[in-house]
C-alpha cells in the first residue's frame, strides 16, 4: 500500500454531491420543490440547504430520503459538534422566563 491509499482510508467522509441528493429524493418519490411546499415553505427554499448549512432543511431532506443528516453532510455535522459556545458570545439569556438583573432595578431616567 502506498501513502496515497493510506490518505484515502484516513480521510474524512465526503458530503454527498447535490445531484446525488436530488436523485435520492427522486427515488424516494420527492422533489426539492414538492418537499418544500409539503412542509409549508416556498418552492425553492430547501434548495439552499444543498449549498449552505441549514439544520432544519437538512433534517427534512434526510427524513424524506430515509437516512441520517450526518450521512449526507458529514462535514457539516462534524463542524457543529466541534463548535463551542462561550457565555460571552451569548446575546440571549439562558432562561428567558427569568428577569435580568437590569430589569429588577428601578432606574428613573427623568430624575436626573
Amino acid at each position: 500500500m502506498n501513502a496515497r491509499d493510506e490518505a484515502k482510508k484516513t480521510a474524512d467522509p465526503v458530503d454527498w454531491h447535490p445531484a446525488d441528493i436530488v436523485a435520492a429524493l427522486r427515488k424516494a418519490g420527492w422533489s426539492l420543490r414538492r418537499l418544500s411546499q409539503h412542509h409549508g415553505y416556498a418552492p425553492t427554499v430547501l434548495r439552499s440547504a444543498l449549498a449552505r448549512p441549514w439544520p432544519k432543511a437538512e433534517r427534512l431532506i434526510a427524513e424524506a430520503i430515509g437516512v441520517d443528516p450526518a450521512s449526507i453532510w458529514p462535514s457539516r455535522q462534524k463542524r457543529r459538534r466541534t463548535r463551542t459556545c462561550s457565555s460571552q458570545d451569548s446575546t440571549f439569556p439562558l432562561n428567558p422566563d427569568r428577569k435580568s438583573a437590569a430589569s429588577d432595578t428601578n432606574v428613573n431616567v427623568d430624575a436626573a
Side-chain angles (χ1 to χ4, degrees):
M1 218 180 271
N2 61 26
R4 186 175 177 198
D5 292 334
E6 283 296 321
K8 286 182 182 178
K9 286 185 177 182
T10 59
D12 290 333
V14 183
D15 292 351
W16 289 18
H17 190 277
D20 295 331
I21 297 169
V22 171
L25 281 169
R26 292 258 181 214
K27 191 174 181 180
W30 289 100
S31 67
L32 277 172
R33 182 179 194 84
R34 220 174 96 225
L35 190 63
S36 291
Q37 292 173 326
H38 176 76
H39 288 287
Y41 292 110
T44 59
V45 169
L46 289 183
R47 188 182 332 154
S48 65
L50 299 178
R52 289 179 292 287
W54 181 16
K56 185 173 182 178
E58 292 168 15
R59 182 179 45 81
L60 294 174
I61 291 168
E63 286 175 358
I65 295 172
V67 297
D68 186 48
S71 66
I72 301 174
W73 294 282
S75 67
R76 296 180 189 182
Q77 304 304 320
K78 182 179 178 185
R79 197 174 319 134
R80 286 185 192 120
R81 283 192 308 268
T82 58
R83 189 177 291 169
T84 59
C85 178
S86 78
S87 60
Q88 295 171 348
D89 294 340
S90 178
T91 58
F92 298 103
L94 295 177
N95 186 352
D97 297 330
R98 185 176 173 200
K99 290 183 180 179
S100 68
S103 66
D104 289 341
T105 60
N106 293 326
V107 178
N108 190 350
V109 178
D110 297 325

